[in-house]
Amino acid sequence: MTIDHRTLLASRRGVLAGSAAGVAVHSASPAFAASSSQKADADPTAKVSLKVNGTDHALDVDTRTTLLDLLREHLKLAGTKKGCDHGQCGACTVMVNGERINSCLSFAVMHEGDEVTTIEGLGTPDDLHPLQDAFIEHDGYQCGYCTPGQICSAVAMLQEIRSGIPSHVQDDITEDPSVTELEMRERMSGNICRCGAYSNIAEALAEFAGETA
Amino acid sequence: MKFDTPAGTNPIDQGKVVGRPTPRIDGKFKTTGTAPYAYERHDVAPNQAYGYILGASIAKGTITSIDTAEAEAANGVIGIVSTLDHKPVPLGPMNTANLFGGGEVQHYHQAIAMVVAESFEQARAAAHLIRVDYARGEGSFDLKRAAPSAEPVEDSEKRQGDFEAAFGNAPVTLDATYTTPDESHAMMEPFATIAAWEGDKLTVWTSNQMIQWNKRDLAKALDMPIEKVRVDSPYIGGGFGAKLFLRADAVVAALGAKQVGRPVKLSMQRPLTFNNSTHRAATIQRIRFGAGEDGKLTAIAHESTSGNLPGGGPESAINQTELLYAGENRLTAMRLAILNLPEGNAMRAPGEASGLMALEIAMDEMAEKLGMDPVAFRKANDTQVDPMNPERPFSKRKMIECLDRGAREFGWERRNPQPGRNREGRWLVGHGMAVGFRNNLLMKSGARVRLSGDGIVTVETDMTDIGTGTYTILAQTAAEMMGLPIERIRVELGDSDYPISAGSGGQWGANNSTSGVYAACVKLREQVAQSLGFNSDEVEFADGQVRAGERSFPLGHAAAENDLTAEDSIEYGNLDKQFQQSTFAGHFVELAVDAYTGEAHLRRMLAVCEAGRILNPISARSQVIGAMTMGAGAALMEHLVVDKRFGFFVNHDLAGYEVPVHADIPHQEVIFLEETDPVSSPMKAKGVGELGLCGVSAAIANALYNATGARVRDYPITLDKYLDRLPAVA
Ligand code: FES
Ligand code: FES
């Protein structure tokens, strides 16, 4: 038996390439660099300007580049981790305009004008963010690979509770949610820690949430 | 340093630093994202190109052709490494499945090509343009179907007394079969390597638990002298056994870097990691017990069948049964079936994790048959000697103390022994317990310590920190030995240019690697004494000072002119032959099952552990709770689902392979018995990193039985397996 399973993919790619050129015509910002003067299959790039941890950046990136890879590979801010690249683990969590997202599920060019905060923007080894401090005190990690994502996620998660965004574990979703252990565990469940530091992370969060309440 | 007689009093016993709860010294790097993992080493080699692996899409057969023309013409592509351009790479002693090379496919997602391109996006896109033709072969993928034809594993059958007769005569017996599924390590950092050549010298910055094995096996795979290979792995985003051995990422990155004449960085895409690498193999375990009315086991049999690729080993699920309980008539044996699934190999607590999942449910069932409390039944069958060799005592065995302490702290006496009778509103509440057991393994381990004039001591060893807390316990050891505060110790790990250590695996890392540092520090202390003109026997190292009689100097004075450097290894005699060295735990779990939907929620988990001296109660506790979490996954959700037609794990990503998340895990409590084990090492410590996993899944299973009255012998214990057996809702 012979299998040639690439034919379908190859032809689908042809369709996508065609439609990308079509998009370029209509899209003002970000502007795609692909044009008819280039090879038919030239990789489209686009300009994007965004602020990362308070610093302005203007880049010309392959439109397939995720925000995660823009951070890790282009800006060399490797604190944000890639655990799956498929939105399944939370290791890549950053804050965009104050809200947490999985940066692997978001193309860099979608972030024109956005303000991105990564783990590097929260604190440094010599000037730790209080939540980073709490993680160290409560040993809220082991290998450390999920840790930046946990911390970024938690900072934004507490903001979500405080701004009244409901969750599945609330008794009454018409009431404002409160910062309870159950709420925090529920809302942090998109951040996997295979080292299993959850019980300690919960303690770090309880301390931090108490301090910032 | 040879360790061949039990340790007497030594500087570690001061306990000024060792044994104190010490926050990790690498914590500020990990929490700020500044600890560099393998794929992130932008600085180590200029002009890194990106690699992307293509995995085989059949489980067994041969590749008839690989057409790379379109991929090669794609933008940014620098080169393509094809399996057909290489012979199968020679394997080290730990690997079973081919890592790369040749036309034979041995398992699904075997690495068969790698694209090297200027960018990640380009490499990934081009990988999809490679056309592969296969001739697919027949394979065996179903353990249950293959089990009857499984062959006995050589020398695995151990007998004592006459099991069959004793079992036949016993007034109370149990004969039950339990199954555990294939499981995946699913560490958060995928396999990743940057490879760079300088002439005929290769450096890999990679993510690996055992630097020396990796170096040796990489040299073998590439057919080059071992001294030309350097491996560097200072931070590892979890391994759990997946990164014990050389994997495809390092091999193809090295081949690719050579082919294109540039450093290549490569991270295996998550969906490939499950089938490309190793996993904990599924088991079918039959357990038979015979006991007298007094609750004493008279007959114990544990037989396990697992599968693996040709040449692979069994999942040794019977290990603990040889040692855990008394009983005069015994039988343990293993069978191994040929399966053409990906390679089965070590995952955290290989053997015991799966074995105790079965054995400790069986113990619960037997206690019930005997009308005994599960804690009392286990205590009644304690043994202080190796049951197969009664001349050989345990160096220390505090199983009973773990159980008594655990029962007390947990409130075990309030448990309702009648299953399915403890109702709190909508919840059926259950309590379960199990014993944890894992051996303490001794491995040679070396380190170098250097004192500089500023009074800083630097520890260098190829030991790894996979989240285990190695950086900190090695610093604590050096601090204790040299009489320094921990801030004055630097620790450098994971570089194969440093002395060879025990590495991280089998919960042997902490005890052996700190003992290696201890040995090096003993030598350094002698050098310091000599340098200061002291007679080394009477010198005291404390508070940053070196004292003898009336004279006292700051430690750094000894190295005022030249750094003092000492290197040594710990090596072991036969104390582990004379004594059985093991670690013990009592696991206690409270769980609630929704009486209407059957959904199970863990409410409380407690482990009481005896593992010798606990070097750092903070990181040791984290090891235990992390392992308990993994055990919760094994009990309730983790399961690589086999496609039995095409021979692969279907749920090969983190969405399909479910592991515990925050909402699944309650507050966890860990208690360490204050013990030392002088037979183990000069540190008097034992392993603890896997103990927390051993037994905990069965404690959960037993709690679920106590809650519902539904006994499930087939892991993971998912809703579908007991929903129809829940007590009638009143
Ligand atoms: S890397 Fe983005 S969710 Fe896993
Ligand atoms: S600390 Fe290792 S995965 Fe969370």
Side-chain angles (χ1 to χ4, degrees):
Chain A
M1 164 184 174
T2 350
I3 302 169
D4 178 3
H5 63 290
R6 299 292 166 202
T7 315
L8 178 66
L9 286 174
S11 62
R12 194 197 302 148
R13 184 176 175 279
V15 172
L16 288 173
S19 59
V23 171
V25 176
H26 305 292
S27 170
S29 176
F32 287 91
S35 74
S36 53
S37 64
Q38 287 177 272
K39 280 207 291 184
D41 63 348
D43 295 331
T45 64
K47 289 193 168 42
V48 61
S49 305
L50 73 179
K51 208 185 262 262
V52 179
N53 302 329
T55 306
D56 288 317
H57 295 276
L59 298 101
D60 197 10
V61 294
D62 189 316
T63 52
R64 297 166 297 188
T65 304
T66 59
L67 177 59
L68 174 59
D69 282 328
L70 177 137
L71 295 169
R72 281 169 65 83
E73 305 305 320
H74 294 256
L75 302 183
K76 309 217 183 329
L77 291 171
T80 309
K81 303 304 179 197
K82 186 187 277 192
C84 69
D85 219 11
H86 288 67
Q88 302 167 345
C89 76
C92 64
T93 307
V94 299
M95 286 173 275
V96 175
N97 305 326
E99 288 180 13
R100 56 181 174 166
I101 66 163
N102 286 338
S103 62
C104 71
L105 285 188
S106 188
F107 288 117
V109 295
M110 294 156 64
H111 293 282
E112 181 64 28
D114 281 348
E115 291 197 20
V116 180
T117 305
T118 70
I119 190 72
E120 290 92 343
L122 287 179
T124 62
D126 297 322
D127 183 19
L128 296 168
H129 183 278
L131 185 54
Q132 291 168 328
D133 235 343
F135 264 65
I136 295 173
E137 188 189 328
H138 294 279
D139 215 43
Y141 54 75
Q142 290 207 67
C143 77
Y145 202 75
C146 74
T147 311
Q150 302 279 358
I151 292 173
C152 286
S153 189
V155 169
M157 176 273 296
L158 288 170
Q159 205 46 52
E160 284 164 22
I161 297 181
R162 291 189 178 119
S163 49
I165 296 173
S167 91
H168 145 86
V169 297
Q170 258 170 271
D171 285 336
D172 179 354
I173 57 160
T174 64
E175 299 278 313
D176 277 344
S178 44
V179 182
T180 63
E181 201 204 315
L182 187 64
E183 277 290 348
M184 292 196 283
R185 277 170 47 196
E186 169 66 19
R187 291 164 193 260
M188 288 298 291
S189 287
N191 290 86
I192 296 175
C193 176
R194 184 57 162 163
C195 293
Y198 298 126
S199 185
N200 286 352
I201 295 173
E203 282 169 29
L205 290 185
E207 179 179 319
F208 173 69
E211 276 174 8
T212 61
Chain B
M1 174 185 288
K2 184 92 180 239
F3 184 76
D4 48 14
T5 49
T9 302
N10 67 39
I12 297 299
D13 293 318
Q14 300 171 100
K16 289 182 185 162
V17 195
V18 170
R20 299 275 166 120
T22 309
R24 292 174 201 247
I25 61 172
D26 47 336
K28 61 185 178 184
F29 306 116
K30 285 178 172 170
T31 55
T32 54
T34 50
Y37 297 82
Y39 194 73
E40 301 160 1
R41 312 285 298 269
H42 293 285
D43 53 324
V44 291
N47 205 20
Q48 297 171 13
Y50 289 81
Y52 195 89
I53 294 182
L54 182 68
S57 55
I58 62 166
K60 189 169 186 292
T62 46
I63 297 170
T64 52
S65 72
I66 297 184
D67 177 358
T68 58
E70 205 184 338
E72 255 161 299
N75 283 311
V77 171
I78 306 165
I80 292 171
V81 183
S82 163
T83 192
L84 296 182
D85 295 341
H86 293 268
K87 290 208 178 71
V89 300
L91 296 179
M94 307 300 189
N95 291 85
T96 303
N98 180 20
L99 289 172
F100 191 71
E104 185 199 349
V105 175
Q106 297 177 344
H107 64 92
Y108 192 80
H109 276 173
Q110 176 178 318
I112 58 169
M114 177 183 62
V115 177
V116 182
E118 294 292 344
S119 77
F120 171 70
E121 295 77 17
Q122 289 169 327
R124 181 180 57 191
H128 291 293
L129 299 175
I130 299 175
R131 291 156 188 265
V132 185
D133 287 334
Y134 302 95
R136 202 169 74 203
E138 290 294 310
S140 168
F141 308 121
D142 185 345
L143 177 62
K144 213 168 160 190
R145 273 181 59 181
S149 60
E151 295 283 337
V153 174
E154 219 184 301
D155 298 331
S156 81
E157 185 173 308
K158 293 193 183 139
R159 286 180 170 274
Q160 174 160 292
D162 183 344
F163 167 76
E164 281 77 7
F167 183 71
N169 293 333
V172 182
T173 59
L174 171 87
D175 182 350
T177 298
Y178 306 84
T179 56
T180 63
D182 296 293
E183 288 175 14
S184 180
H185 313 79
M187 65 287 165
M188 289 300 291
E189 181 204 21
F191 302 102
T193 297
I194 299 173
W197 293 84
E198 250 182 285
D200 60 353
K201 274 196 67 189
L202 170 68
T203 303
V204 290
W205 294 270
T206 191
S207 186
N208 190 272
Q209 304 173 219
M210 298 292 299
I211 299 304
Q212 184 58 23
W213 292 359
N214 206 40
K215 175 174 159 147
R216 176 196 66 197
D217 295 350
L218 190 54
K220 184 169 184 196
L222 302 176
D223 189 23
M224 60 189 286
I226 188 167
E227 61 276 7
K228 301 277 187 190
V229 176
R230 179 177 161 229
V231 176
D232 190 31
S233 193
Y235 287 95
I236 296 140
F240 313 114
K243 296 173 181 170
L244 281 171
F245 317 124
L246 180 65
R247 299 300 327 157
D249 60 308
V251 175
V252 293
L255 291 173
K258 186 163 211 178
Q259 183 174 323
V260 304
R262 262 172 78 173
V264 168
K265 64 186 293 189
L266 168 69
S267 175
M268 188 179 290
Q269 59 271 33
R270 176 62 65 180
L272 224 63
T273 58
F274 294 78
N275 285 286
N276 175 275
S277 66
T278 60
H279 65 281
R280 190 198 302 285
T283 62
I284 301 171
Q285 303 179 45
R286 182 184 184 196
I287 294 176
R288 282 173 289 170
F289 286 145
E293 303 286 0
D294 59 355
K296 298 262 193 218
L297 289 166
T298 53
I300 301 176
H302 191 167
E303 295 156 285
S304 174
T305 302
S306 58
N308 212 338
L309 288 163
E315 180 63 42
S316 44
I318 58 165
N319 284 350
Q320 70 291 319
T321 310
E322 293 168 12
L323 292 162
L324 189 47
Y325 296 115
E328 273 164 32
N329 303 285
R330 314 174 75 93
L331 161 64
T332 47
M334 287 190 286
R335 291 176 167 271
L336 182 61
I338 297 292
L339 291 181
N340 303 102
L341 291 170
E343 173 179 334
N345 211 325
M347 178 168 149
R348 199 176 196 174
E352 280 90 340
S354 309
L356 285 160
M357 285 167 84
L359 182 71
E360 287 296 292
I361 295 186
M363 287 295 285
D364 202 62
E365 296 199 52
M366 192 65 183
E368 190 177 32
K369 284 191 175 221
L370 287 159
M372 283 177 80
D373 176 82
V375 173
F377 176 51
R378 287 169 172 87
K379 285 168 62 178
N381 288 286
D382 185 40
T383 173
Q384 292 293 317
V385 296
D386 175 350
M388 305 285 278
N389 184 3
E391 313 288 273
R392 190 168 167 259
F394 281 86
S395 61
K396 196 147 246 188
R397 176 166 165 133
K398 299 278 174 187
M399 182 188 91
I400 289 180
E401 289 79 353
C402 289
L403 293 178
D404 284 343
R405 179 80 184 273
R408 199 164 64 237
E409 303 281 342
F410 188 77
W412 181 252
E413 78 286 352
R414 292 194 294 279
R415 165 184 184 261
N416 185 341
Q418 291 289 331
R421 297 285 172 76
N422 190 3
R423 187 80 183 263
E424 282 177 17
R426 68 181 298 149
W427 301 104
L428 292 158
V429 180
H431 300 91
M433 57 78 55
V435 166
F437 173 91
R438 175 80 172 139
N439 285 334
N440 179 54
L441 303 176
L442 302 179
M443 305 259 285
K444 183 178 174 184
S445 194
R448 182 159 58 221
V449 285
R450 191 175 60 246
L451 171 67
S452 48
D454 53 5
I456 300 272
V457 170
T458 303
V459 179
E460 293 172 340
T461 162
D462 82 357
M463 181 60 194
T464 49
D465 188 329
I466 60 174
T468 37
T470 311
Y471 278 103
T472 310
I473 56 173
L474 296 193
Q476 288 174 275
T477 304
E480 193 76 79
M481 290 299 289
M482 303 311 297
L484 290 173
I486 196 166
E487 295 74 29
R488 304 201 70 78
I489 311 291
R490 310 244 181 289
V491 181
E492 305 272 343
L493 298 182
D495 188 333
S496 63
D497 286 349
Y498 298 150
I500 298 170
S501 72
S504 300
Q507 80 168 15
W508 66 62
N511 179 43
N512 294 296
S513 66
T514 51
S515 296
V517 171
Y518 172 94
C521 286
V522 168
K523 274 199 175 166
L524 185 60
R525 286 165 62 116
E526 284 164 13
Q527 289 185 26
V528 167
Q530 205 173 30
S531 162
L532 298 173
F534 288 148
N535 174 349
S536 59
D537 286 348
E538 42 200 58
V539 184
E540 189 197 352
F541 291 75
D543 309 318
Q545 298 283 317
V546 191
R547 268 183 224 109
E550 298 295 291
R551 293 170 62 216
S552 170
F553 295 102
L555 181 64
H557 275 209
E561 280 168 26
N562 289 312
D563 286 3
L564 296 180
T565 303
E567 184 176 331
D568 202 3
S569 294
I570 191 79
E571 290 177 72
Y572 298 93
N574 70 350
L575 283 174
D576 58 341
K577 307 273 174 314
Q578 295 175 41
F579 296 89
Q580 176 57 38
Q581 300 185 16
S582 305
T583 63
F584 297 86
H587 286 288
F588 294 83
V589 169
E590 178 177 309
L591 163 153
V593 175
D594 189 306
Y596 300 91
T597 68
E599 206 182 331
H601 290 267
L602 291 167
R603 280 188 170 179
R604 286 196 290 146
M605 300 176 82
L606 165 69
V608 181
C609 303
E610 188 268 299
R613 170 178 273 133
I614 298 302
L615 303 168
N616 181 359
I618 292 184
S619 52
R621 177 177 175 281
S622 291
Q623 280 287 91
V624 176
I625 67 167
M628 290 157 79
T629 301
M630 193 173 266
L636 299 173
M637 63 194 83
E638 289 184 38
H639 178 194
L640 285 167
V641 180
V642 179
D643 183 320
K644 294 177 186 133
R645 302 158 306 162
F646 295 110
F648 65 98
F649 300 129
V650 182
N651 48 343
H652 54 78
D653 62 23
L654 289 172
Y657 185 80
E658 292 187 6
V659 300
V661 298
H662 281 273
D664 297 316
I665 300 301
H667 178 72
Q668 294 165 321
E669 205 57 69
V670 181
I671 295 169
F672 293 112
L673 297 187
E674 292 215 14
E675 291 290 339
T676 55
D677 193 336
V679 174
S680 168
S681 75
M683 300 302 292
K684 306 176 187 172
K686 291 189 283 199
V688 74
E690 301 184 333
L691 179 61
L693 173 57
C694 297
V696 70
S697 306
I700 293 169
N702 295 338
L704 192 128
Y705 171 73
N706 181 246
T708 62
R711 182 65 79 181
V712 181
R713 301 187 183 90
D714 174 32
Y715 289 101
I717 305 174
T718 46
L719 195 49
D720 51 303
K721 294 177 186 167
Y722 61 84
L723 187 60
D724 58 349
R725 289 189 276 158
L726 290 181
V729 179

